[in-house]
Amino acid sequence: MLEPHVPFFPMEPITCPKPFDDVNTGFQIKWDGVRILAHIKDGRVELFNRKKNIRTRQYPEVAFTLAELISHNIILDGEMVALKGGKPSFTQLIRRDFATDTDTIRYLKRKIPVTYVVFDIIYNNGTDLTEYPFNWRDQLLKSLITSKDPIVVTDTILHRGTTLFSVVKSAELEGIVAKKLDSPYRIAKKNSDWLKIKNRRTLAALIGGYIFEGREVRSLFLGVFQDKDFIYVGRAGSGLNRQSALLLFEKFQKIKTSHCPFINPPEIGRREVVYWINPSIEVMIEYMDFTDEGYVRHPVIKQVMF
């Protein structure tokens, strides 16, 4: 039995290789952010991430607005998103999500505004809604909550998944989620009632470190600048051809540094030796999405900008 302010693991979609149309399915945009479940009880709001860690302090404006909008006990499911240039920026968002110092949180609240995109309701006024069908929950959600910045109730497109995916791909968004209209909400489970269809995207990143063998670079440690901070976003080796690997090794010898340039140093294997460089060489990678830790998932190097 669900109870507000008692965290739990959310339902998760499984991967589907391509978009589809289906009269028994509703489709929603999959936003590139952090999964957040909003619990409201007796006027007090608590925000939890997918790992049941509390995130209320990190997003005070969201908690404040939810308390204004909702007067009864409720649990909502959604995604916290930071927009940059009209598009979600996960690297911006993780700066807020990882912040713990009060002054830093206050500063980032002004610097990096967020939007809480709500896509499901699973508890309402003493009633556990997890066994109710998605279509019923979706209609209830839209009847109870009106979008008010920074809260947005997401649209659900019935039947037309291929059309929505084309829009998402053109906008370079993360993808879509397909939800069977009669599906219950299965706590802590991955189930084919929910399917995620991902749009592989590109990212321009700078090299901050490398591992080599012989005179060939084998793996690149990549980051992006957020203001003056150089943030580690993952490592990549796939897609790097031998000619580029040899040329990079030569260029790296001229820009070596003794210290790690990332503000969030990566974990290094016991037997790995990493050499750091000043981040000045850019690569274009293709990737699936970001992990909860803020690292690119399944990156492939598409181009090295020498």
Side-chain angles (χ1 to χ4, degrees):
M1 180 67 180
L2 292 182
E3 182 67 28
H5 295 177
V6 179
F8 55 88
F9 296 113
M11 182 175 177
E12 300 276 4
I14 66 173
T15 300
C16 178
K18 60 182 180 180
F20 59 92
D21 296 329
D22 181 49
V23 295
N24 298 312
T25 301
F27 299 88
Q28 298 175 331
I29 293 175
K30 189 177 190 309
W31 294 97
D32 192 5
V34 170
R35 187 80 170 270
I36 292 290
L37 294 115
H39 295 230
I40 303 172
K41 182 178 181 180
D42 300 331
R44 184 167 67 90
V45 178
E46 294 288 10
L47 305 177
F48 299 95
N49 66 15
R50 74 173 76 229
K51 295 182 178 180
K52 302 197 295 186
N53 296 319
I54 194 164
R55 284 295 184 267
T56 313
R57 291 180 63 242
Q58 281 76 6
Y59 307 109
E61 71 272 43
V62 171
F64 177 81
T65 305
L66 284 172
E68 276 193 327
L69 285 175
I70 302 168
S71 59
H72 57 282
N73 298 350
I74 201 169
I75 301 176
L76 304 172
D77 197 354
E79 196 87 0
M80 198 70 71
V81 179
L83 298 176
K84 182 180 181 182
K87 295 180 181 179
S89 171
F90 192 85
T91 53
Q92 288 272 26
L93 184 68
I94 59 172
R95 296 182 67 197
R96 288 202 58 172
D97 199 69
F98 291 172
T100 56
D101 176 74
T102 301
D103 290 337
T104 301
I105 290 171
R106 189 181 298 115
Y107 166 76
L108 291 176
K109 176 176 174 270
R110 298 191 304 269
K111 187 75 174 177
I112 306 173
V114 296
T115 300
Y116 182 46
V117 182
V118 183
F119 54 68
D120 211 332
I121 178 172
I122 46 184
Y123 179 95
N124 184 52
N125 250 2
T127 302
D128 182 339
L129 305 178
T130 54
E131 292 302 318
Y132 287 70
F134 165 70
N135 192 39
W136 189 93
R137 299 195 313 272
D138 190 52
Q139 291 178 32
L140 176 65
L141 173 64
K142 290 171 172 58
S143 71
L144 289 177
I145 302 176
T146 303
S147 296
K148 178 184 178 182
D149 188 46
I151 313 299
V152 171
V153 179
T154 195
D155 292 324
T156 300
I157 306 301
L158 299 177
H159 319 325
R160 303 189 306 276
T162 53
T163 299
L164 181 61
F165 189 80
S166 295
V167 173
V168 163
K169 191 170 184 178
S170 297
E172 298 181 347
L173 299 176
E174 184 181 3
I176 63 173
V177 176
K179 300 180 178 180
K180 289 184 179 179
L181 297 178
D182 62 355
S183 62
Y185 189 102
R186 306 176 194 274
I187 290 176
K189 294 186 181 299
K190 287 189 175 184
N191 188 275
S192 59
D193 282 349
W194 287 13
L195 301 172
K196 57 183 177 182
I197 301 100
K198 294 292 193 69
N199 172 36
R200 288 191 68 87
R201 290 161 297 160
T202 57
L203 175 72
L206 292 166
I207 305 168
Y210 67 100
I211 293 174
F212 73 96
E213 183 178 334
R215 296 181 64 84
E216 290 186 40
V217 172
R218 295 299 188 190
S219 186
L220 302 176
F221 289 74
L222 305 174
V224 295
F225 275 104
Q226 297 292 345
D227 296 329
K228 296 181 180 180
D229 296 329
F230 189 50
I231 300 173
Y232 174 71
V233 297
R235 57 194 287 182
S238 179
L240 191 65
N241 60 44
R242 186 170 187 272
Q243 181 180 0
S244 295
L246 290 168
L247 185 54
L248 280 174
F249 180 81
E250 293 180 9
K251 290 186 174 294
F252 288 165
Q253 308 316 302
K254 302 175 183 177
I255 53 174
K256 280 185 179 180
T257 181
S258 60
H259 66 278
C260 173
F262 303 105
I263 64 164
N264 55 331
E267 291 186 7
I268 308 298
R270 288 184 179 182
R271 298 184 179 181
E272 291 184 322
V273 179
V274 181
Y275 296 85
W276 307 116
I277 60 172
N278 292 314
S280 58
I281 299 177
E282 189 175 63
V283 297
M284 185 66 68
I285 61 170
E286 187 178 80
Y287 67 102
M288 185 64 74
D289 59 5
F290 282 91
T291 68
D292 289 341
E293 292 74 25
Y295 307 145
V296 287
R297 197 190 306 274
H298 307 311
V300 177
I301 300 166
K302 305 301 290 185
Q303 185 181 3
V304 180
M305 276 70 89
F306 290 106

